[in-house]
Amino acid sequence: MTAAAHPTDNRESAPLGGDRTRIHISAAHRPLTKRPLKLTDALDFWAFAGAAANVAMQMARPGVGYGVAQSKVESGSLMKHPWKRARTTTQYLAVAILGTEEERKAYREAVNAVHRHVRSEPGAPVKYNAFDRDLQMWVAACLFIGFEDTYQLLHGRMNEEQAEAFYASSSTLGTTLQVTEEMWPATRKDFDAYWNAACEQAVMDDYVRAYVDDLLNLRMIHWYLRIPFRGLLKFLTIGFLAPHFREQMQVKWTEADQRRFEHLFVFVGFVNRFIPRPLRFGGTYTMMADIRRRLKGNKQLV
């Protein structure tokens, strides 16, 4: 997991496929229920193991990367207020997946109030606007990929029918903000086509790469908290990145690293079966309860 030279072969000129845009999931699905799978089945606390990788994926799209790195909204800055940013992001996921239409609308309005200040200056080399629906679609797609990857690492690779059912409940990841139902790909196959094409635009430059590197090295928290967590965070983050994104981050991932990553989740998936569901899913439901408490008390959501 050391720095690697930027790829110089001709793969970048060829259309990206799933072997380069998705991580490898080897084990077949171990069915725990006969009912169709839903996105709510992926709300296990391990779903957040790949959170930093998901941020890196989102920021690989220049409009998102520069929007996050140059945002003037200090209260929501990942590097200046990491705990608050983690809370608001987690609560967005909770309300998008578990909330009612009214709750989603309230959260959308709260996020919109912040997003109004996130736009590039005239003449900026990279144009961005937090209300850009294409960029929001990209972010929502990354979020879906994160949930699907962690679910499959814990429970095994879904078959086509399971994957379609799982995907069918995912559109609110985008429509809770500005993404329309028409923009969200209708089927899982359509989503794959969108994802592979969109990844072509996920190209990091040195500026965004340095920002993400600060995140992976936990430079936004005290040094004594970095020491025990930095190594694990880097390992999990690179493991959750598909080959295309590892190349954009200029990091190396060996076959031995891949084996350790897969073995870790075989172990975690086994142990997870014996942890009561309320404990595994409690974090997200607690976040949803906090949103409802804030709404009831007319308190700030974001």
Side-chain angles (χ1 to χ4, degrees), residues 192-208:
D192 283 340
Y194 161 80
W195 178 251
N196 290 333
C199 284
E200 300 277 0
Q201 301 179 60
V203 181
M204 276 190 180
D205 63 11
D206 290 339
Y207 177 76
V208 174

Side-chain angles (χ1 to χ4, degrees), residues 82-94:
W83 308 119
K84 179 184 178 183
R85 183 60 182 262
R87 174 185 67 79
T88 55
T89 300
T90 305
Q91 288 191 324
Y92 172 79
L93 295 173

Side-chain angles (χ1 to χ4, degrees), residues 35-43 93 95-99 104 144 147 158 161-176 181 184-188:
R35 63 170 173 77
L37 296 175
K38 295 182 179 180
L39 195 59
T40 50
D41 293 311
L43 294 180
L93 295 173
V95 74
I97 298 171
L98 300 173
R104 291 180 189 132
F144 172 75
F147 278 117
M158 292 180 275
E161 182 180 354
Q162 292 167 330
E164 194 68 51
F166 185 84
Y167 176 73
S169 60
S170 65
S171 64
T172 53
L173 291 173
T175 58
T176 299
E181 285 286 353
W184 193 257
T187 68
R188 188 66 186 73

Side-chain angles (χ1 to χ4, degrees), residues 181-228:
E181 285 286 353
E182 293 73 24
M183 291 179 64
W184 193 257
T187 68
R188 188 66 186 73
K189 184 177 180 180
D190 293 335
F191 179 87
D192 283 340
Y194 161 80
W195 178 251
N196 290 333
C199 284
E200 300 277 0
Q201 301 179 60
V203 181
M204 276 190 180
D205 63 11
D206 290 339
Y207 177 76
V208 174
R209 191 179 299 112
Y211 186 97
V212 177
D213 186 67
D214 284 344
L215 168 64
L216 298 189
N217 283 286
L218 297 174
R219 294 191 178 102
M220 66 288 199
I221 64 176
H222 294 296
W223 66 268
Y224 52 81
L225 293 176
R226 298 177 198 166
I227 296 174

Side-chain angles (χ1 to χ4, degrees), residues 43-45 98 276-289:
L43 294 180
D44 194 293
F45 56 70
L98 300 173
R277 183 182 173 99
L279 287 180
R280 293 187 287 114
F281 288 64
T284 304
Y285 283 90
T286 298
M287 288 293 180
M288 191 66 236

